[in-house]
Amino acid sequence: NGRANQIAHALIKMGGQPQDRVAIMLENGPQQVEALFGVLKAGGVFVCLDPHYPTHRLQAILEEAQPARFLIESSCLERHGDLLVNLPDGCDLLAIDDFDPSGLSFAGTFFGPKFITSCADTNPNLALQATDPAYIVYTSGSTGKPKGILQTHLSFCQFIEWQSRYFGIIAPQRFAQSASIAYDASYCEIFGTLCFGATLCMAPAMTRFNPQALIEWVRRAEITILQIVPSFCRQVLQILETEPSQNGTHPLPKLEMLLLAGEILPVDLAHAWLNRFPNPAKLFNLYGPSESVLATYHAIPQVEPEQRAISVGRAIDGRQILILDKNQQLCPIGVRGELYIRSPYLTEGYIERPEEMAAKFIQNPLHNDFPDRVYRTGDMGRWLADGTI
């Protein structure tokens, strides 16, 4: 907290104003957490860049987000030195570690680590509003050019409060922080853990790409809650299945909950996980675009032999799911349609994308009685008789 306060005071001394955008590009570790809290404490809006991304993708994000400040460390610049050449005019650099800025070419001002440590470590206590923006996260770009999604303190706080309550993320739980800092899943891990008193365990960078390394780290760190994508879970499961029998014990003995999100969960994967291990960790299927942080959740106690798909379950608190046909009318139970999300916690908008914003965020087509915004996901689904999707 003291280190985050120093970063916050440094940003304020650099001329930081409420709602200024601050780009962050740091290696995985505690300094990322300090930076996120520091930017928010300064009233800023963080935009995180994953240093493992290609330079051209990072460049595109910086050009669109137009940050006022850029929080960096030297190892990242060694890989992406060209980023500084085309930084927005007047974008100042704040470095958390020592390196020689004399060879850098950019239009702003350089502030080093000594500037940070000279700042106060007390809370800035700025007056912020719940509706102020907190962060911008960029989509993967799998369906086109990555879109910057703006989320407010209110929307994100509502989600992590639900997450903590539903999954019991309090002491002595140990939540793995394994998602890339460029995705909002990592913010759910970081803030959803620290804001409610559990222990945040930051995975070494190699575990994001190496399932064997992840398994070893989960055991060593005694992780109780792990969140990964299904495709990576399959790789983890394949390794666990080749290990010698543990006399009826779970191969990840401390794991209590496995959260699968970000991709469709295949039936055979869920069945294999539940079938393979005695006393398995509770398995959850999570669905939702970054535009709503999350939309639905589903606990999976078992998989039936004839089952063809894994349900995405029911809407989380503060969300309502509409399934509409091509005429934007409600679909009956069992009839396939497009999923729309109705919520007061939808994103405030896409950065510099008014046309896409207008196409995706529309008035609820079921009425015109009052302003009632819904988000068109483009995903297809159907209601089941038990009320799940």
Side-chain angles (χ1 to χ4, degrees), residues 202-264:
M202 304 200 75
M206 70 183 71
T207 61
R208 202 189 307 166
F209 314 103
N210 186 329
Q212 182 66 58
L214 179 72
I215 290 169
E216 294 170 0
W217 175 75
V218 165
R219 288 171 176 157
R220 187 169 63 251
E222 299 185 333
I223 298 300
T224 63
I225 306 176
L226 175 64
Q227 178 173 248
I228 53 178
V229 297
S231 56
F232 196 61
C233 178
R234 189 181 294 279
Q235 298 177 51
V236 169
L237 183 60
Q238 288 170 346
I239 292 174
L240 294 176
E241 287 179 328
T242 64
E243 293 183 343
S245 174
Q246 303 291 320
N247 297 320
T249 61
H250 197 283
L252 303 173
K254 297 294 185 179
L255 190 65
E256 297 178 13
M257 284 174 271
L258 179 63
L259 315 181
L260 298 177
E263 300 170 353
I264 292 175

Side-chain angles (χ1 to χ4, degrees), residues 111-166:
F111 297 83
K114 291 182 180 179
F115 178 70
I116 297 176
T117 55
S118 70
C119 294
D121 62 0
T122 53
N123 292 327
N125 291 323
L126 293 182
L128 303 178
Q129 301 297 318
T131 53
D132 287 346
Y135 65 81
I136 299 171
V137 62
Y138 276 79
T139 61
S140 64
S142 58
T143 58
K145 187 178 177 183
K147 295 187 287 289
I149 297 170
L150 186 70
Q151 284 291 6
T152 65
H153 287 267
L154 176 67
S155 295
F156 188 66
C157 285
Q158 186 273 341
F159 171 75
I160 63 170
E161 189 278 331
W162 172 86
Q163 176 186 255
S164 173
R165 177 163 39 84
Y166 181 76

Side-chain angles (χ1 to χ4, degrees), residues 347-369:
T347 175
E348 290 297 293
Y350 297 133
I351 304 302
E352 305 297 335
R353 305 289 177 85
E355 292 182 1
E356 290 188 55
M357 187 74 186
K360 284 287 193 177
F361 295 87
I362 64 172
Q363 169 67 22
N364 187 339
L366 301 179
H367 73 86
N368 283 305
D369 299 335

Side-chain angles (χ1 to χ4, degrees), residues 327-346:
N327 297 315
Q328 296 189 320
Q329 297 300 303
L330 289 171
C331 289
I333 291 173
V335 175
R336 185 172 179 266
E338 182 180 351
L339 273 63
Y340 292 63
I341 301 172
R342 179 175 182 254
S343 173
Y345 305 110
L346 294 173

Side-chain angles (χ1 to χ4, degrees), residues 11 20 23-24 28 61 75 126 139 148 165 241 249 335 373 377:
L11 291 170
D20 273 357
I24 298 173
N28 189 60
I61 292 173
S75 61
L126 293 182
T139 61
R165 177 163 39 84
E241 287 179 328
T249 61
V335 175
R373 202 168 57 131
T377 68

Side-chain angles (χ1 to χ4, degrees), residues 256-321:
E256 297 178 13
M257 284 174 271
L258 179 63
L259 315 181
L260 298 177
E263 300 170 353
I264 292 175
L265 173 55
V267 174
D268 70 306
L269 176 59
H271 182 266
W273 180 272
L274 295 172
N275 227 26
R276 174 67 176 83
F277 306 119
N279 305 313
K282 293 178 181 176
L283 189 62
F284 294 88
N285 189 23
L286 307 180
Y287 162 77
S290 294
E291 284 85 346
S292 65
V293 187
L294 193 72
T296 69
Y297 67 102
H298 181 58
I300 310 170
Q302 61 186 15
V303 177
E304 301 297 337
E306 70 281 1
Q307 198 164 327
R308 294 186 300 165
I310 300 295
S311 173
V312 295
R314 293 176 165 83
I316 70 170
D317 289 2
R319 315 290 189 276
Q320 181 186 13
I321 305 298

